[in-house]
Amino acid sequence: METIKGYVEHIIFRNPDNGYTVFEMICEGEELVCVGIFSMINEGENIKATGNYTEHPTYGTQFAVSELEECEPEDEISMERYLGSGAIKGVGLALAARIVRRFKKDTFRIIEEEPERLAEVKGISERKAMEISDQVAEKRDLRQGMIFLQKYGISLNLAIKIYNTYQQDIYRVIQENPYQLADDIQGVGFKIADEIAAKAGIRRDSDFRIKSGILYGLLQGASEGHTYLPKEELTVKTAGLLGIDDSLIEKHYMDLAIDKKIMIKGDHIYGASYYYMESAIAGMLWNLDIKYDLPEDMIEQKIRRIEQQSGMESDEMQMTAVKEAVKNGFLIITGGPGTGKTTTINILIRYFEAEGLDICLGAPTGRAAKRMSEATGYEARTIHRMLELNGGMEGNAGFSRNADYPLEADAVIIDEVSMVDVNLMYALLKAIAPGTRLILVGDVDQLPSVGPGSILKDMIDAKTFPVVALKKIFRQAAKSDIIQNAHKINAGETVVLDNKSMDFFFLKRYDADKIINVVIQLIVQKLPKFVDASPFDIQVLTPMKKGLLGVERLNEVLQQYLNPGSKDKKEREHGGRIFREGDKVMQTKNNYQLEWENRSSYGFVTERGLGIFNGDMGIIREINEYAEMMTVEFDEGRMVEYSLKNLEELELAYAITIHKSQGSEYPAVVIPLLNGPQMLMNRNLLYTAVTRAKKCVTIVGDEKTFYSMVQNTRQQKRYTGLAGEIQKIGCLDTDRKENRDIGKYI
């Protein structure tokens, strides 16, 4: 190891993600290229570097720095060089020279201890003098903070976030309670905070650690769909996570409840926000459930008139659904594919329109909203756009539409409600004023929402509000084996796999590589002509993310065949994945701050908005290496620019998990099936996958796996409390129960 001293002449390259830097250093009058990972470094700084000389095959001699220390400028030339380097905003070379000429070797002492004296220099006001002093102090404090945080293995980007949050308080926070980071800083979870705490010497059984571990256990539960966890399960989960005895956990529950971070309801432990949201949702649904005393024969006459004018026909249950929607402030309509949900919605729209009501149509995703618009001929928007999203971090999004500024509608119809989680339902109901009719439509047998809660199922299970279940498969839909087999799967009946169908095929293969070869042939050669669609419109749906037939492996292979590399396509590697112009990609988390814009054919911006959400799919249109940006076009022509340094929220989407396909419909789906965990490979998952296809389903794999999934009704239980909250309000409020058919399920 050698130690050298000098100053930074020029920064050649810097990776802001990890701090890797290449710079020219002037050492004893000679130029030397140095490389290393540094938290902060600026041109003009005097440094002391420790490391070794290395020989690069292309760039020659370099000095690989292992330790770097900033030195105070020792002579007037060094002081002038640092101040004039651009590190201090508003100070150029000429002004730096005047400052040093005036104060000589005393320059930095004056800046730090008597900054008002800088005003003695021509061109510096008293205000500017204080700004220069503040900047010098800030840079010194920031650099010291970065060095301090690096000792705990914190990445550069995260260290800057932490410093900006706490400033000089970082030392107290890190040394006393690093778990505070998980509460205060986006991107810092329990695991990162726990690693820092271990390096800071925090005891494994400290109160801070245990409380943070409990909250992290609840957060993990929410990621699995739960709004609460049973106390015993949470205790065991937290103890295992922290590596401590169960007996040390329980005494901290009451402290967290007093701090209003959790709610304890009997044996159920809630993250406080989920308890309040479920409770509020229950109350708001009751407020909407108003009875309208209207003659039934009059309603039926109006429906018949609409049918004559439009050519639509309704069966008995569809007629009942429309009547119930007219007579009730709140109604749930549920049913599987081909049971007439769309026809029912269309009759409802025309009924309300004839009554002069303002109608608002919505769905959880862009694709579902687009399908609703095409099926009804009326504009449908995503719930986020309907509520006028105005930004905010994940889970804390702000909507312009709320209780103070509700939706301007007399009737709100929401489709694909099985996808709606507790956060979105809470936001939606806040924006619907009592007296507005709310009709929720969905298939209760689909997979539940990706986010926490089991909203549609809980509302039905409460047996409190009117629910109409559509069960009859209509004649046109009955011709489709996709729909017939979907209903057989849902009922646990035998599906014949003889390939005599025109839209449902099963190709038997028992080896993962052979299955992948068949999938490629189907997408590239056979299915595009069969369903009159491009290979990009055909979607591969798989149960798992990892494994031989998981999303990650399938996407690598499919990318090679559907969008191979070429000199005409720019590409970027990030996190072990290649992103290439023309790639099909998916957003993997809700980002309420991402801006999108629609553009005219001439490139002019016609509309702007906020928010790209988990499951949104798009195409990479451009990778601009000069601007370090990647442009992705999502549904409805929404163009979004991503920094090439921040692509963690995107993944390839030639293959996606069945869970991520909710609410979407594709011309054809291809489903590779081999084996997997029993809890995952169940009827619910298979039913959801099959119902995503419009024209053709092709399953490639082992028929034994298919039949076992049809019979497997096991699925992970979701701990949710909405049904109980709805029933509790009904029991407490007897006035609301008057003239009400409790538990009406038609």
Side-chain angles (χ1 to χ4, degrees), residues 338 473-481 483-484:
I473 303 175
F474 284 85
R475 192 186 314 157
Q476 187 174 354
K479 297 176 184 176
S480 165
D481 285 322
I483 290 174
Q484 290 283 9

Side-chain angles (χ1 to χ4, degrees), residues 157-255:
N157 282 345
L158 186 54
I160 291 171
K161 264 190 186 180
I162 293 170
Y163 184 84
N164 287 340
T165 301
Y166 299 116
Q167 299 290 321
Q168 290 301 294
D169 215 22
I170 56 169
Y171 307 100
R172 180 192 62 78
V173 171
I174 296 294
Q175 290 166 351
E176 292 182 10
N177 179 19
Y179 297 99
Q180 190 177 332
L181 300 174
D183 293 334
D184 297 342
I185 298 174
Q186 186 81 5
V188 178
F190 171 80
K191 288 188 175 179
I192 292 175
D194 202 36
E195 288 172 8
I196 295 169
K199 289 173 183 172
I202 303 293
R203 294 195 333 272
R204 288 167 61 82
D205 61 351
S206 76
D207 291 352
F208 291 134
R209 185 169 188 259
I210 295 173
K211 288 177 185 177
S212 188
I214 291 168
L215 295 176
Y216 181 63
L218 287 171
L219 190 64
Q220 281 189 320
S223 71
E224 295 164 2
H226 308 301
T227 57
Y228 73 84
L229 287 176
K231 184 189 287 185
E232 185 178 347
E233 189 170 320
L234 178 58
T235 300
V236 171
K237 188 183 188 83
T238 306
L241 172 74
L242 300 179
I244 60 176
D245 193 81
D246 294 12
S247 61
L248 298 172
I249 307 293
E250 193 160 338
K251 64 181 180 180
H252 294 283
Y253 289 138
M254 191 54 67
D255 288 342

Side-chain angles (χ1 to χ4, degrees), residues 674-737:
L674 202 54
N675 49 45
Q678 190 178 20
M679 190 62 76
L680 179 67
M681 307 290 278
N682 57 39
R683 180 188 298 175
N684 200 214
L685 192 82
L686 184 60
Y687 173 73
T688 299
V690 168
T691 55
R692 297 308 92 205
K694 190 174 182 180
K695 297 181 180 178
C696 179
V697 168
T698 308
I699 302 172
V700 188
D702 188 340
E703 73 276 17
K704 291 179 183 176
T705 300
F706 176 86
Y707 286 126
S708 69
M709 289 180 76
V710 173
Q711 296 307 316
N712 181 16
T713 56
R714 288 182 63 199
Q715 53 183 300
Q716 186 183 32
K717 174 179 171 56
R718 285 199 169 190
Y719 296 116
T720 60
L722 178 59
E725 288 297 314
I726 291 170
Q727 292 168 340
K728 183 171 73 175
I729 293 175
C731 292
L732 292 174
D733 196 339
T734 53
D735 290 340
R736 297 191 191 192
K737 290 166 64 179

